[in-house]
Amino acid sequence: MESKRLTPDLSVAGQIFPADLVHIAQAGFRAVICNRLDGEGVDQPNFAEIEAAAHAAGLEAHDLPVVSGEVSDENAAAFGVARAALPKPLLAYCRTGMRSATLWSFDEAARGRPLPEILSTAKAAGYDLSGVVGRIAAGGRIRKASADLFHSVVVIGGGAGGIAVAASLKARKPDLDIALIEPADVHYYQPGWTMVGGGIFSPAVTARTMASLIPTGVCWIKDAVAAFEPDRNTVILEGHQTVRYDRLVVAPGLTLDWAGVAGLTETLGRNGVTSNYRYDLAPYTWELVQTLRAGRALFTQPPMPIKCAGAPQKAMYLSADHWLRQGRLKDIDVEFYTVSPALFGVEDYVPALMTYVNRYDARLNFRHTLTRIDGPAKRAWFSRQTEIGICETIETDFDMIHVVPPQQAPDFIRASPLADAAGWIAVDPASLRHARFPAIYALGDAIGASNAKTAAAARKQAPVVAHNLLVEMGHLRGAEVAYDGYGSCHLTVERGKILLAEFGYGGTLMPSFPAWLIDGTKPSRVAWLLKERMLPPLYWKAMLKGREWMAKPQRAERTA
């Protein structure tokens, strides 16, 4: 008998037998709930046998039989009553555990637990509840017929990818019925946060209201997505309303797992612990850089994939450049800790970057993952993977530490039918159409393609999605276009100079400018001016407005 723990007070299992009850009691359970009807199978003990064995083992037993696939509201309510009344922890069982897991999900929903958490917990235990997601969203009760919202195209996400693709769709077909689902009131230009942390930009220039950016004619649904029913072309909102669509575009971005490093959330923004990956913390980075006179400054990079893989290094370079210009670098030990075995994923850019690593006398620590931090004690712990596969723990002190947290797709994506095995949205890497659901497209940081997760990637992806979606719907003529994996990283190696790394799938170099203007393998002042003065207005006034300067999609061979 194998049980699956769903919550501390309840686990579920497939059919149990009288002989199992002793072991169930020894495992610490205090009661069992039967959710299977007697006589369903010829090899099935009846409840009376289970009850007798349970009592002999010192356990309570409760019979709550449910017809497979027909869980009523009364069944769900009775399960909640029994769960509350019986001694804990409980073990609920049926033929496979699915009915018990379903009853648990309805009870959790009635208690107010968020839908993505319920789905992800069940999925981790091996139970796919996508078939009852609408009912879970309705608080565990049978969903009544309602007047669902409908829009021809629904876009999820008001970040760079979501707004850009909505604008690109409108630019191609102004009368297209589009809704954009986004709960936030503020949109952030996240590529600017490195510059905030380096004292170049003020935080305010990286933020604008969502209402000012959503394209004219696009309906804004100010809510969050809870789940998907792709077989019904339906999205379920956290407010329990449903939105139907002809085509769906998913661009929710990713989430930063601050809790993925023990002790980090308790000390962020104080004790010398900062990160440019948050709007409110980037100014603290600059404050620390300005005030640090001597000591140890650590910069960390977590396992891939992350948004803008060069950003952890950018923070280090800009900080060290300031200390060098102020004559303080000789008294500050700079260290970079990365889980990667190399400084940068595309080898062509490494020589120039190493020049700056040597200029700043920075120590590189490869195959290191930050696992724990104690802000008040100014201590950090890393797990280190040796070249022969041995894992060891490294403890070190710091005066300043710039932390980049682990990152993953949002919960409502990872627990959904849209996710691949790693939790990202499963897409064809060229067309950006979903691998299993042809009415769904996706772009941005949450897709499971091998491109770099950058705003530059979203800028190139949005026109591809808009074109392919409209061609497939019959609104445009022409062949399908392909995304080539383009992404770029503006590596700010010093104040006034940037190494403009541009590359596609497989690390292929994809420069946008002639080498006489910007040679991407060498730092340049022109690349800095592009980052500081040209890219912000290009972002606000072109990319988010459907003006596809240097981003128009091209027909291409499908790229793996």
Side-chain angles (χ1 to χ4, degrees), residues 178-191:
I178 305 174
L180 187 145
I181 303 173
E182 171 56 55
D185 289 307
V186 180
H187 176 103
Y188 295 103
Y189 175 55
Q190 296 182 33

Side-chain angles (χ1 to χ4, degrees), residues 518-532:
I518 298 179
D519 180 348
T521 63
K522 299 176 182 178
S524 73
R525 173 69 177 171
V526 175
W528 175 272
L529 294 175
L530 177 69
K531 169 76 172 178
E532 181 188 22

Side-chain angles (χ1 to χ4, degrees), residues 71-106:
V71 181
S72 67
D73 284 350
E74 290 72 24
N75 292 151
F79 184 86
V81 171
R83 181 183 176 189
L86 289 168
K88 300 168 186 62
L90 304 166
L91 178 68
Y93 74 90
C94 56
R95 186 178 70 84
T96 64
M98 186 64 179
R99 266 171 282 181
S100 299
T102 301
L103 286 162
W104 165 85
S105 73
F106 294 163

Side-chain angles (χ1 to χ4, degrees), residues 191-201 276 318 492 498 528 531-532:
W193 292 347
T194 291
M195 304 291 265
V196 174
I200 295 103
F201 287 175
N276 289 343
L318 281 178
T492 49
I498 276 178
W528 175 272
K531 169 76 172 178
E532 181 188 22

Side-chain angles (χ1 to χ4, degrees), residues 443-458:
L443 72 157
D445 292 344
I447 65 172
S450 61
N451 63 284
K453 297 183 183 298
T454 66

